Amino acid sequence: MSLSSPLSSSAASFPLADLGWDAAWEAEFAPYAEQGLLPGRVVRVDRGQCDVMTADGIVRADTAFVTPHDPLRVICTGDWAAVEATGNPRYVKAYLPRRTAFVRSTSSQRSEGQILAANVDHAIIAVSLAVELDLGRIERFLALAWESGAQPLVVLTKADLVPDPVSLSYLVQDVEAAAPGVQVLTVSSLTGEGTDVLAAVVADGTSVLLGISGAGKSTLANALLGADVMDVQATREVDGKGRHTTTTRNLLALPGGGVLIDTPGLRGVGLWDAESGVGQVFSEIEEYAAECRFHDCAHEAEPGCAVLDAVESGALPQRRLDSYRKLLRENQRIVAKTDARLRAEIRRDWRMKSAVGRANHAAKRGNHA
């Protein structure tokens, strides 16, 4: 975060309440206060150090004491930290238990989880209207957002590129169908359309801004901040993509209230133990599934499957069911890599299905004979 950021105040006193500090956090921090440690919120992490905003201003602190082997337990932007009052360097001694955490799986073969932001109330998923909508990607982001414990919000950026109101309304309807129970806003940072509504939403609590590179996140962050704090680079007209303008996760106080965490453009958005999140994204499928004849219906070819009946009647788009299956399979693979018991259950299931298949095949051969 640059020194021109709204959070880099060098004033003698900074109200931590502006960053989300409340009575519950204060109670959690009491044991650390007795040790003479200072509370502060992590506004940026890089290379084993972090910037922490305390009541006395920004403190640069070392994270050596809170760098466990588990990547989900490393300190991250949005954490509330306990920092040494003096020292050179100062150290973060601990951080408070997180209320929410936005986690994705890494692209590594080890399939580790990566925490992107902590203690977030709203997950803003930025989607550019400069390119064709990818509803599957939106559903993926939403699954992670619901799983994090935050309230998702889809923001369709660059609305000025779709001047026809009818075409724009159809695009909004498509996204709303893929995001049941989620507010969908159209915003143009160029004209200012929709930014006042978004500012009102994010004024309450902490929001994280998510999306792929070129989605207009940095421009949107600047519109909410009322200043060019985040660097912005032009987007290619050919494919609507741009280079990463944000390289680290930064926590920024908004002038109208609330806190914003801006994140780099995400190339990959892998699920991480997000079964309940997937269920919320596809809530209508789960409702149909409750009416299936068999409680363990796989919605593939079983008799009395209410989900397949809904597809056949046109009440449920086939695309939604395909996306649901895909995300559930992916999530199961990720969980299986980290859960030995689940791996054993899946292997058992495979063996049982294989045995049934062999028995059916043998029976057919016997009938033919």
Side-chain angles (χ1 to χ4, degrees):
M1 184 178 57
S2 66
L3 292 180
S4 61
S5 162
L7 275 188
S8 58
S9 169
S10 58
S13 177
F14 186 89
L16 288 183
D18 288 355
L19 300 184
W21 186 255
D22 56 28
W25 286 123
E26 188 170 1
E28 288 269 11
F29 193 81
Y32 301 108
E34 292 175 359
Q35 300 172 33
L37 299 174
L38 297 178
R41 195 157 194 197
V42 178
V43 298
R44 176 174 173 165
V45 180
D46 61 312
R47 298 179 182 178
Q49 292 188 313
C50 63
D51 292 337
V52 182
M53 175 55 78
T54 70
D56 298 329
I58 289 280
V59 169
R60 185 71 169 168
D62 197 296
T63 63
F65 285 99
V66 284
T67 310
H69 294 299
D70 183 353
L72 295 181
R73 296 175 60 200
V74 299
I75 199 161
C76 79
T77 304
D79 274 324
W80 283 101
V83 190
E84 289 179 325
T86 59
N88 187 19
R90 294 197 198 185
Y91 288 92
V92 173
K93 305 298 285 189
Y95 62 83
L96 301 183
R98 294 161 177 157
R99 293 178 181 174
T100 62
F102 192 95
V103 180
R104 68 163 179 171
S105 69
T106 65
S107 56
S108 69
Q109 294 301 313
R110 291 177 295 178
S111 298
E112 294 177 337
Q114 179 191 23
I115 181 164
L116 298 181
N119 302 313
V120 170
D121 302 294
H122 308 285
I124 304 170
I125 301 161
V127 179
S128 172
L129 289 174
V131 292
E132 186 176 352
L133 287 176
D134 186 339
L135 297 177
R137 181 186 289 133
I138 294 173
E139 290 162 344
R140 179 179 294 272
F141 269 109
L142 287 169
L144 291 175
W146 281 121
E147 192 68 33
S148 75
Q151 172 67 44
L153 168 68
V154 178
V155 174
L156 302 178
T157 65
K158 309 180 184 181
D160 52 282
L161 298 180
V162 189
D164 177 28
V166 176
S167 299
L168 185 59
S169 69
Y170 284 141
L171 292 172
V172 172
Q173 289 173 21
D174 287 343
V175 176
E176 287 176 337
V182 175
Q183 185 177 6
V184 179
L185 294 177
T186 56
V187 169
S188 169
S189 300
L190 183 66
T191 66
E193 175 194 344
T195 53
D196 55 339
V197 179
L198 180 58
V201 172
V202 301
D204 179 25
T206 299
S207 304
V208 62
L209 193 51
L210 304 155
I212 64 170
S213 183
K217 297 187 307 303
S218 295
T219 305
L220 192 58
N222 285 337
L224 292 171
L225 289 162
D228 291 337
V229 173
M230 310 307 295
D231 292 332
V232 177
Q233 293 178 0
T235 300
R236 297 194 298 256
E237 292 182 3
V238 207
D239 54 11
K241 295 180 181 178
R243 285 185 291 171
H244 298 293
T245 54
T246 304
T247 55
T248 58
R249 292 179 285 279
N250 303 282
L251 187 144
L252 307 155
L254 298 173
V259 174
L260 181 70
I261 297 176
D262 192 22
T263 64
L266 300 175
R267 292 186 179 89
V269 194
L271 298 185
W272 180 261
D273 196 7
E275 184 176 355
S276 65
V278 173
Q280 284 182 275
V281 176
F282 299 93
S283 56
E284 81 278 29
I285 296 180
E286 304 247 313
E287 289 173 6
Y288 285 127
E291 303 299 321
C292 290
R293 182 183 302 175
F294 305 107
H295 74 279
D296 58 348
C297 183
H299 321 307
E300 292 176 352
E302 296 86 347
C305 176
V307 173
L308 295 181
D309 288 347
V311 172
E312 188 174 352
S313 70
L316 176 66
Q318 181 67 49
R319 188 206 69 79
R320 285 283 284 173
L321 180 57
D322 292 342
S323 183
Y324 175 69
R325 288 169 171 164
K326 178 181 178 181
L327 292 184
L328 279 184
R329 284 195 302 268
E330 177 184 326
N331 189 71
Q332 189 180 50
R333 285 197 303 269
I334 290 294
V335 174
K337 288 180 181 179
T338 57
D339 189 326
R341 185 175 63 179
L342 181 58
R343 284 201 301 272
E345 290 176 357
I346 291 174
R347 281 197 297 270
R348 259 197 317 274
D349 187 47
W350 285 343
R351 285 197 294 268
M352 287 177 61
K353 288 182 177 178
S354 179
V356 170
R358 286 196 300 271
N360 289 339
H361 183 62
K364 286 180 182 177
R365 291 181 61 185
N367 290 336
H368 287 314

